[in-house]
Amino acid sequence: MIISFSLLFPVVFKNAQQSHTFQQMLKTTHLQRKKLLKKLFKALYLILLTIALVIVMQVFLFASFEVPTDSMEPEIWPGDFVLVNKLLIGPRIYNNLGLFNGSITPYKRIKGMHPIRRNDILVFDAPYLLLPGTLNAQTNLFYIKRCIAIPGDTFFIENGFFGIKGYQQPLGNLLQQLLLSQTPDETISKHIFNCFPQDSDNHWNIKDFGPIYIPGKGDAININVNNIAIYRPLIQYETGKTIRIEGGSVLLNRESIENYTFTRNYYFMAGDHVANSDDSRYWGLLPEDLVVGKAILIWKSTDPFTHKFRWKRWMKRLK
């Protein structure tokens, strides 16, 4: 019996050793799995943090836009990628998710570093898209133009040159305006020559335009049948009501109005390439609501035909 017990003992010992080895393997596998999960959670955290930072930068700080047209030549060329600073005039915070389907949405603008100035190059939601003469901007299509006139200005065009009553500094690209002034009227097609508001009282064109007062928040102006074509889109945009003329009177819905106080700031925008730019000369004034920010830099540039980098235009400051 003693000999039999001693013969069995090594077998029991061996089984115990195998069990210990198996437990060690399980423990090692558990630690490896724990380390792997820790790495995955860390990677996921970094990815989410990066996405959050990008969203914050896009909403509050900067945005990038590719320019497809020549309306801002010679300052900005097709194929230029511009960096837009939102802090200067203040970023927009939307109150709902309507911006994802391209509709106009309520928003609040955080106070910026300074107000919009004359000659600032701005990126904004394209206005007056769906129905001419009606402010119906979409938030998924953008324009880039130069701000020519700001609230309180009385703007005009005389022989192709931009002007503001009481202001003597250059506005826009003077060379392009000179070239336009020297172009015979009969050589310009009618759809380019004739301008906003294209009614029987205001026969304005790209060489002889205005004068037009640019309203700002709190400005009260007289409204009559002679100027309602200019301000109709703005008043309808602010009130959501319909304007019509009846018996020599201007009616807002069914009520007669002789003056109106504006609740927003407006701007006159124009491209530097004045002979080929869809801007305020054709669709009217731009509400501040639609401004995304100020373009400050061309950070990258590619030729739209060859797709080659135009290195000399990289990191070019805009003027």
Side-chain angles (χ1 to χ4, degrees):
M1 295 293 294
I2 296 174
I3 294 172
S4 177
F5 178 79
S6 63
L7 290 172
L8 290 172
F9 183 77
V11 176
V12 174
F13 181 79
K14 187 176 181 180
N15 289 338
Q17 190 177 32
Q18 289 177 341
S19 176
H20 177 72
T21 303
F22 181 70
Q23 290 177 359
Q24 286 290 103
M25 289 175 62
L26 286 177
K27 187 176 181 181
T28 302
T29 303
H30 177 72
L31 289 173
Q32 289 176 341
R33 188 179 300 167
K34 191 174 180 181
K35 287 181 179 179
L36 179 61
L37 287 174
K38 189 175 181 180
K39 288 181 179 179
L40 289 175
F41 279 122
K42 187 176 181 180
L44 182 61
Y45 170 77
L46 291 175
I47 291 172
L48 293 176
L49 180 61
T50 301
I51 293 174
L53 288 174
V54 170
I55 292 174
V56 168
M57 289 184 65
Q58 286 279 348
V59 173
F60 294 99
L61 303 178
F62 301 99
S64 174
F65 296 88
E66 181 182 5
V67 178
T69 70
D70 65 352
S71 70
M72 280 297 294
E73 283 187 346
E75 185 66 16
I76 301 174
W77 296 359
D80 285 347
F81 289 76
V82 297
L83 184 68
V84 173
N85 188 330
K86 297 184 177 183
L87 285 175
L88 294 179
I89 64 172
R92 299 180 296 180
I93 307 298
Y94 289 96
N95 294 346
N96 58 45
L97 299 180
L99 70 145
F100 292 111
N101 60 27
S103 63
I104 297 176
T105 62
Y107 83 101
K108 291 182 180 179
R109 188 183 293 278
I110 298 175
K111 186 177 181 181
M113 299 171 64
H114 61 70
I116 295 171
R117 298 168 178 169
R118 301 181 189 96
N119 285 319
D120 281 351
I121 298 177
L122 304 178
V123 170
F124 52 92
D125 302 319
Y128 307 94
L129 272 182
L130 302 179
L131 184 64
T134 303
L135 260 171
N136 44 35
Q138 302 292 295
T139 55
N140 52 14
L141 181 64
F142 303 94
Y143 283 0
I144 182 167
K145 307 292 178 185
R146 191 180 295 275
C147 177
I148 302 299
I150 60 177
D153 287 345
T154 298
F155 172 78
F156 61 90
I157 301 175
E158 188 174 298
N159 193 28
F161 288 95
F162 297 163
I164 292 173
K165 185 178 180 181
Y167 184 79
Q168 304 301 323
Q169 300 300 315
L171 296 165
N173 188 288
L174 293 181
L175 178 58
Q176 291 292 316
Q177 294 169 44
L178 175 62
L179 293 174
L180 177 61
S181 71
Q182 295 173 344
T183 303
D185 295 357
E186 58 271 16
T187 64
I188 305 173
S189 63
K190 288 185 177 180
H191 78 277
I192 294 177
F193 189 73
N194 296 326
C195 288
F196 169 86
Q198 298 189 12
D199 67 336
S200 58
D201 294 310
N202 301 283
H203 302 283
W204 296 351
N205 57 68
I206 57 173
K207 285 190 176 183
D208 183 14
F209 186 100
I212 177 174
Y213 178 77
I214 316 298
K217 184 177 181 180
D219 282 352
I221 65 170
N222 294 327
I223 297 296
N224 53 58
V225 294
N226 297 318
N227 66 7
I228 191 57
I230 299 170
Y231 298 112
R232 180 201 304 265
L234 314 185
I235 297 173
Q236 292 185 155
Y237 175 69
E238 292 190 353
T239 63
K241 299 178 180 179
T242 302
I243 287 179
R244 71 179 191 274
I245 298 175
E246 188 176 293
S249 298
V250 178
L251 302 181
L252 183 60
N253 275 4
R254 297 181 179 181
E255 296 182 7
S256 176
I257 59 169
E258 296 181 353
N259 57 71
Y260 181 79
T261 301
F262 289 90
T263 62
R264 291 170 169 83
N265 291 325
Y266 293 89
Y267 303 89
F268 192 95
M269 310 297 298
D272 284 357
H273 191 184
V274 294
N276 187 33
S277 175
D278 182 18
D279 52 42
S280 287
R281 295 171 299 168
Y282 298 100
W283 38 254
L285 303 179
L286 175 74
E288 189 173 286
D289 306 31
L290 307 189
V291 178
V292 176
K294 178 180 177 180
I296 59 173
L297 181 77
I298 297 171
W299 69 272
K300 184 176 79 169
S301 183
T302 59
D303 188 300
F305 301 103
T306 65
H307 304 292
K308 292 181 178 180
F309 289 143
R310 296 184 292 216
W311 295 105
K312 291 184 178 180
R313 296 189 61 77
W314 283 51
M315 306 309 291
K316 177 182 179 293
R317 293 190 65 85
L318 295 173
K319 300 177 182 178

